[in-house]
Amino acid sequence: MQIEVKEPGTGVLLHLDAKPENYQGKHGMRIRYPNGANFFIIAQSGAWRSADHHHVAPRFLINIGMALEGRKLSEQVVDHSNI
């Protein structure tokens, strides 16, 4: 599925591909950028976490989770203090 995710530091809208996957016995989502780069995330204790040793910023994971839940784009986190 295609998801729209705001990059929390800039507010730039990203179009990512999200596909369910089983990785090393864990069920989660493979998130893929348009350039092919990707990472695997799992839902754990009510939050999304990277599960394949890629560093993913916590606020970016929050926004990905909101997109996966089908929440409004306006609810996603943007930290304008970094701009």
Side-chain angles (χ1 to χ4, degrees):
M1 86 173 92
Q2 291 287 333
I3 57 174
E4 292 183 321
V5 179
K6 289 181 185 176
E7 198 290 318
T10 63
V12 169
L13 186 61
L14 303 173
H15 298 273
L16 307 176
D17 186 46
K19 291 186 179 177
E21 183 177 315
N22 190 8
Y23 176 77
Q24 296 183 351
K26 297 176 183 175
H27 183 70
M29 300 294 285
R30 176 68 56 185
I31 307 298
R32 186 173 312 276
Y33 292 97
N35 69 2
N38 65 86
F39 54 92
F40 179 76
I41 61 174
I42 60 171
Q44 187 176 47
S45 302
W48 287 95
R49 302 187 190 289
S50 175
D52 64 356
H53 307 294
H54 284 91
H55 172 73
V56 182
R59 289 185 180 145
F60 192 47
L61 286 170
I62 290 169
N63 286 355
I64 290 170
M66 286 184 188
L68 291 171
E69 293 169 5
R71 293 179 50 189
K72 294 179 182 177
L73 193 59
S74 61
E75 294 180 50
Q76 291 187 20
V77 177
V78 178
D79 182 4
H80 292 290
S81 66
N82 293 333
I83 300 175

